[in-house]
Amino acid sequence: MEQPMTISNNTGIIEGQNAGLWQHEPAKSPNLLNPVVLAYMGDAVFELLVRQYLIAQPNHKPHHLHKQATQFVSAKAQRMLLEKWTPLLTEEEADVVRRGRNTKSGTPPKNANVADYRQATALECLVGFLYYGKRIDRLQELMAAGFADHNG
């Protein structure tokens, strides 16, 4: 029988078999976190999910993995993925995307235009929101839709 996740009162560390990568709860509810903070975590979670997907494919040469990863993690690729996700989003998720897109998140990298960068931040904000909301099934559903047309 699986042990549920619990939070140790004296440390704040999440314990139990279902904790997975969870170590610490955020200080606030995902609804109250700054969109930049959600995007910060969403960037890491998105990268992890892309890497897991690519390693599940047959070609594991490092150069190939990196080249394939850039098809997902560049600002332009994330903008295109968000366009694909948009019709699938709930009203709440669309609101999180708007918050992420409209936030001041810094200067875009030299190789990204401002519009793509803002959309990429919006996607990462949504990923962070779903992750911190423990909506992993929903995150997996959206990622599967993103991977559907990819031929590894």
Side-chain angles (χ1 to χ4, degrees):
M1 181 165 191
E2 289 187 1
Q3 179 185 9
M5 289 191 313
T6 58
I7 300 174
S8 173
N9 287 337
N10 56 349
T11 64
I13 295 176
I14 299 171
E15 302 169 336
Q17 290 178 337
N18 291 338
L21 292 177
W22 280 95
Q23 290 295 310
H24 302 277
E25 285 287 325
K28 300 176 184 177
S29 156
N31 291 328
L32 300 177
L33 288 171
N34 183 310
V36 174
V37 172
L38 291 172
Y40 177 73
M41 179 53 78
D43 176 55
V45 172
F46 186 77
E47 178 88 20
L48 176 67
L49 294 173
V50 166
R51 288 180 182 207
Q52 287 177 345
Y53 169 74
L54 293 174
I55 290 171
Q57 304 306 304
N59 190 345
H60 293 154
K61 294 177 185 148
H63 176 73
H64 179 78
L65 289 171
H66 176 73
K67 186 176 176 185
Q68 293 294 300
T70 59
Q71 292 181 5
F72 292 102
V73 299
S74 70
K76 182 179 178 182
Q78 288 179 330
R79 176 198 40 91
M80 291 170 38
L81 179 58
L82 184 59
E83 288 172 0
K84 186 185 236 184
W85 285 2
T86 298
L88 308 174
L89 299 180
T90 65
E91 189 174 319
E92 178 186 39
E93 292 165 349
D95 185 51
V96 170
V97 166
R98 275 189 295 280
R99 285 177 48 215
R101 185 182 59 237
N102 294 334
T103 195
K104 299 276 190 270
S105 60
T107 306
K110 292 177 189 174
N111 61 344
N113 74 43
V114 175
D116 286 351
Y117 184 71
R118 290 172 68 109
Q119 292 292 84
T121 301
L123 178 136
E124 291 169 350
C125 183
L126 176 60
V127 170
F129 176 81
L130 293 172
Y131 175 77
Y132 272 137
K134 297 186 181 107
R135 300 179 189 180
I136 305 306
D137 289 343
R138 178 61 174 151
L139 185 52
Q140 289 172 336
E141 180 183 328
L142 291 172
M143 292 301 290
F147 296 140
D149 297 334
H150 181 259
N151 16 336

